[in-house]
Amino acid sequence: MATPIESPSTTVAETDVTDDPEAVTPPTDDLTSDERALLVDNLRYVLDGRWRATRDLVRESADRSDLLPDPSRTLDEARTRILAEMRELAQNGFAAAGFAADHGGSGDVGASITAIEMLGYADLSLMVKAGVQWGLFGGAVENLGTARHHDRYVTAIINLDLLGCFAMTETGHGSNVQALETTATYDAATEEFVIDSPTPSARKDYIGGAAEHAQVAAVFAQLITGGPGEEPSSRGVHCFVVPIRDENGDDLPGVTTSDCGYKGGLAGVDNGRITFDQVRVPAENLLNRYADVEADGTYTSPIENPNRRFFTMLGTLIRGRVSVAATAGAAGRKALTLATRYGLVRKQFEAPEGTDEIVVMDYLAHQRKLLPLIAKSYAIACAQNELTSELHEVQSGSAGSGPDGRPADDSDAGRQRQLESDAAGLKAYATWHASHTINVCREACGGAGYLDENQLSIMRGDIDVFTTFEGDNTVLTQLVGKELLSAYADDVQGLSTAGWVRFVVGMARDVVVEKTAARQVVQTLLEGSDEDTEKSNLTNRGTQIRLFRNREDHLIRTCAQRLRVALDDGNDAFEVFNNAQDHLLKVGRARTERVVLEAFIQAINDCDSRSAAEVLGKVCDLFVYSALESDLSWFLMHRQVSVERAKAIRRGVNELCTELRPHARSLVDAFGVPEELLGAAMLSNG
Amino acid sequence: MATPIESPSTTVAETDVTDDPEAVTPPTDDLTSDERALLVDNLRYVLDGRWRATRDLVRESADRSDLLPDPSRTLDEARTRILAEMRELAQNGFAAAGFAADHGGSGDVGASITAIEMLGYADLSLMVKAGVQWGLFGGAVENLGTARHHDRYVTAIINLDLLGCFAMTETGHGSNVQALETTATYDAATEEFVIDSPTPSARKDYIGGAAEHAQVAAVFAQLITGGPGEEPSSRGVHCFVVPIRDENGDDLPGVTTSDCGYKGGLAGVDNGRITFDQVRVPAENLLNRYADVEADGTYTSPIENPNRRFFTMLGTLIRGRVSVAATAGAAGRKALTLATRYGLVRKQFEAPEGTDEIVVMDYLAHQRKLLPLIAKSYAIACAQNELTSELHEVQSGSAGSGPDGRPADDSDAGRQRQLESDAAGLKAYATWHASHTINVCREACGGAGYLDENQLSIMRGDIDVFTTFEGDNTVLTQLVGKELLSAYADDVQGLSTAGWVRFVVGMARDVVVEKTAARQVVQTLLEGSDEDTEKSNLTNRGTQIRLFRNREDHLIRTCAQRLRVALDDGNDAFEVFNNAQDHLLKVGRARTERVVLEAFIQAINDCDSRSAAEVLGKVCDLFVYSALESDLSWFLMHRQVSVERAKAIRRGVNELCTELRPHARSLVDAFGVPEELLGAAMLSNG
């Protein structure tokens, strides 16, 4: 990958000259304004990744302050406004990329996700609403449906002639999707499915679009059918297209929708509830890519194992999860841009000599609040780019499924599985980071940060639910750990926790620590570093990777061992699992952090600009040092770092903050948040 | 202190029988319902502390769901509603306790703060609005004014005939109050002060009440005056009563108010801005307890040193800070009650055997989310009770100031100074805890937690600003550290950071580590424990105290040493300070945590119920273990715990979670949040 022409983009340079708050304070770095603009361009090139053209298109079209959330809107007004914005997006062809060319789209999954991510710079309600329509609902039709659904629905979904919602979660079941209670019973007499909510807890809940706008729902329900002479039985969760509203917006017969009302944020998204009372839909409304019901009620599926079938279906839907992770990254970057810019104009307490007060960004405590979060945001952005790219590859067919809907071969199945685990891990890691970051940014701006006119408080409310929707972060992190410990074994999915423990304990010991092959750059760096991490300099990239890898390996090994010993001692398998749950979660976190680091290193390695790579190297060091610092007790307890090195790590964070302080503005400028979306009174009030 | 009669309160028992969600699941502890009710009563007795009668009064009158925030209200409606609720409080004599009997109140400072704290169970907007009127504005008149102000204003403040606001913060200055820009220039010709905002950044900002309701403002401004033949000069920040609105609510001549508009929460509080253009007020409007201006412009004050004068004035205003800390504690306890109750009804994922799913509170990861926060909330509640009590003593005159406004003697001055530092430390510690806790509780309730109908999302928005108003938490934590390092020396206040460094470095070394004498129970426990902490069991209370004290002492000593060495090396004093800022903050946090632990231990020691004391002992252990766990790297790096002990601490947190799990419901019931204020649809939906 090549960086752009090594000359400053004039647009960026001009913006900076007229608008740079640092211009009013003595310059704190040695770069000329041209050099700085060039640095920003090159940093942005790295961050923007493969779909940088898409990013620039969205930047250009979204550079409008009227896209920002307006807290004075009523709930109704906010919802209406977001729908209007979505229609505008549709008119501009925003959604086509997410659907295959032969279904009526333009077939660029990566561009589709990147475009949705960029909405995170404008309004998270818009992103969620768009994500529901095109990512979740559209994605279900696209990935679980067949030609009859694609022909009938996809164009209408793209241009918003058909508004849909994604009715998976129920009042009683969120994380445990296999236990959903809604039923879809096949009636051979009429060749229909009867959709029903048998209990109060079967009510579909928190469904974006269900309160007002959605005309149809992709309903996840237990499919109940039997062939001739066969007792009807449940075949597990499948997805059905169910109309819920007529043209006037009234509930169709048997459908009862209601409104979730006010929420902690995302005012523009009309979350609602749906219950079904024996609602009949034609048999063809079953999204039948992975399973079908013949006219006589006979159930067929190319995937025999019900658990495998279920998880294959779910697996095609990870686009939503990937988009959520990506958008959280964008939201965090925007918050850091606002807080850093404020930190560069806000002064408080007099300088030691003279009457002028000190810019708060010059305080170590303030640097320590913001700079490590900026560093982590860089690392996450690079990992996100890789994840989006991998999803693109897998879903674009090169590593796709065979004609029967099953992965073409085992290596593809493994790749899909790996992708799902990486998506789960990064979704949790990135959304927790975003939620924490926006909170810290709000605090770093004091009272100003609490005023909606400065956006951070709105973003804080909006981002909050990202940590628990599209997969609860704790459950997802645990999933990563479970996959690692059971070496992605197929038969593990769908096992109870106790069953999973028994499986892991029965596994061959060495399978457990197997890992995906290291990429070339990582291999090279590892080879160039001492196996004894204490002997290498801590800024040695190979040593950094080694520390992260050693932690992951150690945690996996000891977790497996712990389960084995506990079960051998005759303990109840659930208790064995439960007592090790924090250990398992730590496995998941350590794994994801290692993946994030290696992606960041790859991106730096691919960067052709020496000055940008140099700054990125410092940013990477700060990411590593602060990651080590926040888990220092583990490294010390497991003698992975010495006490002396631990102290050096704490000092190192401070030193790196000081070194990166002059680049603070450049680092956030490189995020490329459109200027109009950074409207905040505090940035002009000082 | 005696606990109440050792028999269950029937009210509590009845509530539990009809309403206990645990009733539908197999009982997880061995207590009968009577025993449980008694335990809850006794735990509550400890938590309620000295002003338990006040707590019960507020509980009784606030047990109304109509007091809960209603997100469907417009900003106007929310403000109007809160004002109406405040008028109701006033009618019921809510505010009298905060004012001296001879000023028109009933003179019970502790009761006044406790009552405000209890509003945190209902609506944080109400607490803030009440806190502004009676705590901040009323407190300024009460504590900075003299008879002429008390006679004229106090009754009207109590009964809301006069609505005021507290106009300290400016757009340009929050933490650095000494640098406020608003001026109050004395005009001897008319015997008036001229209040003026000379610059845009002098605008009063974020002022609760300024947007709509306040008729007058307590304005903090630089007093400029000179006696006959003397050049007028600034005498530092003083406080003035300035009318801002007429009877119609219109701005008075020269006053311009505006509205801060929508915020991240606290919808019922009308925060606004005020600028003054040469506004004239009579000389008597100077709150002149600590300084006065004679008719001819001569400035007089019983406190000669301007810094000391300024900090003495500020010091009398800590009631607001103490109330904010107290209320944050209440809000955190309410959130934990909601999340714990939900965790006891919400099930997810099947049990290993059988078809029933597992109550999420039975997962270790869920216990680890909530139980350590419950434990910390207990500890903080005990520390808060002590702080409120100490404030009561100091402000009730037994340790009060002499007739000239100065502390009666040096020991009283020291006590006041200590109180201010403790209030700063606990405010930061408790509000960060509350903000974090409410966030974790929201996440622990998943999608349900995000719906306003379940309150947590509203509380999350409301609590957010508590970490930065009434003193930014980082600045306050630093203040604690600075006070410790400079041994509360009087001449340090008002020094620049660089000046402070030079002072500390010049101090006698042993003064630095001096600490307030240990209380008896702590002394006894220390004597009964081994000086080598590794040799004692970690559940030994003396060992726990020793670990916390050793950390504090070590941090203070090494911080002083670090400053000394760095300055000796000829470095710039501000840089020396800045490089050690994280160290200094750590001093502040460690100190506060030690104070919190000792207060908790004191409360357990005072508890007469054996069963309650036993449970509290476990709770205290969990507080200690998780506090140690979250700072484990420090303890390891400084060889205060061994690697083996560190591992035992991690294990210990898990084990204590398991041990306390059966008491989860009792622990939150003991918080005594009125049942009607726990309205949350998720608790009935399951």
Side-chain angles (χ1 to χ4, degrees), chain A residues 57-73:
Chain A
L57 273 174
V58 181
R59 276 187 187 115
E60 210 176 310
S61 62
D63 196 5
R64 289 161 37 189
S65 61
D66 67 315
L67 290 178
L68 294 173
D70 176 351
S72 74
R73 292 187 188 122

Side-chain angles (χ1 to χ4, degrees), chain B residues 280-519:
Chain B
R280 291 183 165 263
V281 297
E284 70 205 36
N285 285 25
L286 167 65
L287 295 175
N288 62 333
R289 179 171 173 200
Y290 293 104
D292 213 344
V293 173
E294 292 173 18
D296 64 4
T298 305
Y299 180 81
T300 62
S301 170
I303 309 175
E304 225 163 294
N305 180 312
N307 276 323
R308 189 170 175 190
R309 188 190 313 135
F310 172 75
F311 285 104
T312 301
M313 288 196 245
L314 273 201
T316 64
L317 304 175
I318 51 162
R319 212 185 278 190
R321 198 164 279 171
V322 174
S323 305
V324 160
T327 308
R333 296 195 295 273
K334 176 173 169 181
L336 286 164
T337 306
L338 289 165
T340 300
R341 285 204 185 184
Y342 186 61
L344 291 168
V345 291
R346 175 73 175 176
K347 297 174 179 182
Q348 208 72 185
F349 292 110
E350 65 283 5
E353 332 289 345
T355 52
D356 236 27
E357 289 181 294
I358 294 166
V359 160
V360 295
M361 199 69 199
D362 281 338
Y363 289 103
L364 174 65
H366 212 78
Q367 293 163 14
R368 260 196 170 259
K369 278 180 194 169
L370 299 180
L371 291 172
L373 296 176
I374 291 175
K376 194 167 172 180
S377 296
Y378 268 74
I380 288 174
C382 296
Q384 182 67 48
N385 286 342
E386 284 198 356
L387 182 68
T388 301
S389 190
E390 176 67 3
L391 175 69
H392 177 88
E393 294 303 323
V394 167
Q395 291 205 341
S396 296
S398 71
S401 52
D404 60 354
R406 277 179 303 183
D409 58 37
D410 277 357
S411 119
D412 287 344
R415 195 169 169 185
Q416 165 75 23
R417 194 74 176 269
Q418 179 74 58
L419 171 66
E420 287 170 30
S421 170
D422 287 348
L426 193 61
K427 188 272 179 181
Y429 191 81
T431 57
W432 265 327
H433 168 68
S435 176
H436 174 67
T437 293
I438 296 174
N439 192 29
V440 170
C441 288
R442 199 302 285 165
E443 288 191 17
C445 297
Y450 198 56
L451 301 188
D452 284 356
E453 66 179 29
N454 295 316
Q455 297 200 55
L456 290 166
S457 50
I458 297 175
M459 292 171 67
R460 185 182 196 272
D462 288 346
I463 202 69
D464 185 10
V465 79
F466 279 59
T467 59
T468 54
F469 74 4
E470 281 296 300
D472 175 88
N473 279 3
T474 302
V475 174
L476 292 180
T477 305
Q478 183 170 299
L479 179 81
V480 176
K482 284 172 101 171
E483 287 284 51
L484 281 170
L485 259 79
S486 42
Y488 300 86
D490 208 39
D491 19 355
V492 170
Q493 289 185 308
L495 280 189
S496 72
T497 47
W500 174 82
V501 168
R502 288 192 206 96
F503 177 90
V504 169
V505 166
M507 276 176 65
R509 194 170 295 235
D510 53 343
V511 182
V512 174
V513 293
E514 206 180 287
K515 259 206 318 275
T516 44
R519 54 183 109 206

